Amino acid sequence: MAFELAPLPYSYEALEPTLSSQTLHLHHDKHHQTYVTNLNNLTKDTPLASLSLAEVVKATAGKPDQQGIFNNAGQVYNHDLYWSSIKKGGGGALPGVLEAKIISDFGSVAAFKDAFHQAGLTQFGSGWAWLVLDGDKLAITKTSNADTPLAHGKTPLLVADVWEHAYYVDYQNRRADYLKAFLETLVDWEGAVARLQAA
Ligand code: MN3
């Protein structure tokens, strides 16, 4: 069965004015769709086509002869999680269970937010900033291009896309403003809680 582009879990206008309808159309319908199309073309009539997306990511990670497949599978996986990491009316207070875990592992919510913001800001070039579960501890990490913590034995909980296509229409070169908006008005804390509890 072919890999599919999941529809956005909200309308294209839902995240305005933080992220415009134009950005969501370009990002989901063009960029994300292209990774899905490439992945299907690259895995067609191979054993990888019968695996789950996460299994393809893990099976191709670190294999130079499968870099193209990994890049597209990783990008599909990362974008699926990105759309689930944000929502209309996001940000705000953290659910108690997540707040307690963040205070335990980072010292404070403010320290966590600052570290996440810095991870996104200092990712040189295209990539991603992550909140992950690493063993029994929360951790912040950043990855380049299509790389994903899933390929490194960690459980992704939240991700901010810091490829320029994620923010350039709305924020131009101001990645810091996009990251601030991500944390204050977009991030879906409940989604992170659900993934934490499923881990
Ligand atoms: Mn993207």
Side-chain angles (χ1 to χ4, degrees), residues 27 75 79 128 161 163 165-166:
H27 199 172
Q75 284 297 79
H79 281 91
W128 305 83
D161 189 341
W163 284 59
H165 67 228

Side-chain angles (χ1 to χ4, degrees), residues 66 75 101 163 175 183:
Q66 298 194 303
Q75 284 297 79
K101 181 80 175 143
W163 284 59
R175 188 189 287 187
L183 286 166

Side-chain angles (χ1 to χ4, degrees), residues 4-197:
E4 293 181 357
L5 177 67
L8 287 177
Y10 28 72
S11 77
Y12 289 93
E13 294 76 30
L15 307 182
E16 290 185 338
T18 309
L19 290 178
S20 64
S21 169
Q22 185 185 4
T23 287
L24 264 59
H25 275 290
L26 287 168
H27 199 172
H28 178 267
D29 305 355
K30 305 297 183 188
H31 290 278
H32 193 172
Q33 175 68 68
T34 298
Y35 299 125
V36 173
T37 301
N38 289 345
L39 179 61
N40 281 322
N41 289 338
L42 289 166
T43 57
K44 191 172 188 299
D45 300 327
T46 78
L48 292 170
S50 63
L51 301 183
S52 72
L53 180 61
E55 288 169 337
V56 174
V57 169
K58 292 176 185 175
T60 58
K63 295 182 178 167
D65 61 327
Q66 298 194 303
Q67 184 75 48
I69 298 173
F70 175 80
N71 285 344
N72 286 284
Q75 284 297 79
V76 175
Y77 177 87
N78 292 351
H79 281 91
D80 285 349
L81 193 73
Y82 175 65
W83 302 125
S84 298
S85 293
I86 57 183
K87 67 175 182 180
K88 180 181 178 67
L94 280 68
V97 61
L98 182 62
E99 182 179 40
K101 181 80 175 143
I102 280 180
I103 291 171
S104 171
D105 293 345
F106 296 102
S108 69
V109 172
F112 156 72
K113 286 183 177 176
D114 186 53
F116 188 93
H117 187 275
Q118 282 300 313
L121 198 58
T122 59
Q123 168 54 39
F124 185 75
S126 296
W128 305 83
W130 302 85
L131 173 65
V132 300
L133 188 65
D134 185 5
D136 62 355
K137 293 277 193 190
L138 296 178
I140 289 167
T141 188
K142 54 188 178 182
T143 60
S144 294
N145 299 319
D147 198 11
T148 177
L150 183 69
H152 305 283
K154 297 167 188 166
T155 303
L157 301 178
L158 286 175
V159 66
D161 189 341
V162 295
W163 284 59
E164 283 188 342
H165 67 228
Y167 62 86
Y168 211 85
V169 168
D170 300 316
Y171 297 88
Q172 293 78 50
N173 62 316
R174 292 174 286 113
R175 188 189 287 187
D177 289 351
Y178 159 69
L179 285 164
K180 184 169 186 290
F182 178 93
L183 286 166
E184 298 306 323
T185 68
L186 289 179
V187 64
D188 182 0
W189 300 122
E190 282 79 13
V193 170
R195 286 181 281 276
L196 181 62
Q197 293 178 335

